[in-house]
Each structure stands twice: as structure tokens, then as C-alpha cells.
């Protein structure tokens, strides 16, 4: 809250996101037109406005999946 990071961000990447708490906070506080990706090797229950990827963040497959979702946007917030 002090720096208002969530409200100013357009693309959030939540790494090692399970169980999904930070992704829920991001979905609640980020602008409605923002993109939120939650990634973990463990399944995450669906969260409205959040794209869940069940991937190993150390693999090329995961990096490709991230790139396919963000397209030309730039990630401006990384949560862990």
C-alpha cells in the first residue's frame, strides 16, 4: 500500500504462486485491464482475472508460455 505498486502495474508475473494468495490480492487491486499470470509447478485453483500456468519456471516451455500471454507487453511487477 505504501508505494501503490499494484494499482500502477499493468502486467504482473506471480512466480511460485501456489496457493494463489498474492494473485488474489493482485486481481483485487490491479486495474481491470491489467494482465496477471500466476505460475507454479503445483496446481492453483482458478482465480477470476488471473491466468494460471502449471509449469516449472526454470524451463524454456514456461518462458514460451509466458511470452505467448504477454505478447508485446512488458512485465512491470514480479511477485514471489
Amino acid at each position: 500500500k505504501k508505494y501503490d505498486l499494484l494499482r500502477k502495474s499493468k502486467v504482473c508475473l506471480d512466480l511460485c504462486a501456489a496457493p494463489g494468495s498474492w494473485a488474489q490480492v493482485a486481481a483485487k487491486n490491479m486495474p481491470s485491464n491489467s494482465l496477471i499470470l500466476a505460475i507454479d509447478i503445483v496446481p492453483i485453483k482458478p482465480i477470476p482475472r488471473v491466468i494460471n500456468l502449471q509449469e516449472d519456471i526454470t524451463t524454456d516451455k514456461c518462458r514460451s508460455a509466458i511470452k505467448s500471454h504477454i505478447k508485446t507487453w512488458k512485465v512491470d511487477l514480479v511477485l514471489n
Side-chain angles (χ1 to χ4, degrees):
K1 287 184 177 182
K2 182 177 179 180
Y3 298 105
D4 208 22
L5 293 175
L6 294 172
R7 284 182 176 67
K8 295 177 182 178
S9 298
K10 296 291 183 191
V11 180
C12 174
L13 190 60
D14 186 2
L15 303 174
C16 303
S21 303
W22 277 113
Q24 289 177 359
V25 171
K28 181 180 176 184
N29 292 291
M30 288 179 67
S32 60
N33 64 340
S34 60
L35 177 66
I36 305 164
L37 292 172
I39 304 161
D40 203 302
I41 199 164
V42 176
I44 302 169
K45 290 183 181 178
I47 302 167
R49 296 191 50 227
V50 176
I51 298 169
N52 293 329
L53 300 175
Q54 185 178 351
E55 299 282 351
D56 179 348
I57 62 170
T58 65
T59 65
D60 289 334
K61 180 182 175 193
C62 182
R63 283 189 283 279
S64 294
I66 292 168
K67 289 176 185 178
S68 74
H69 285 287
I70 64 172
K71 298 179 174 68
T72 59
W73 291 32
K74 301 292 181 191
V75 174
D76 54 2
L77 179 65
V78 177
L79 302 174
N80 185 322

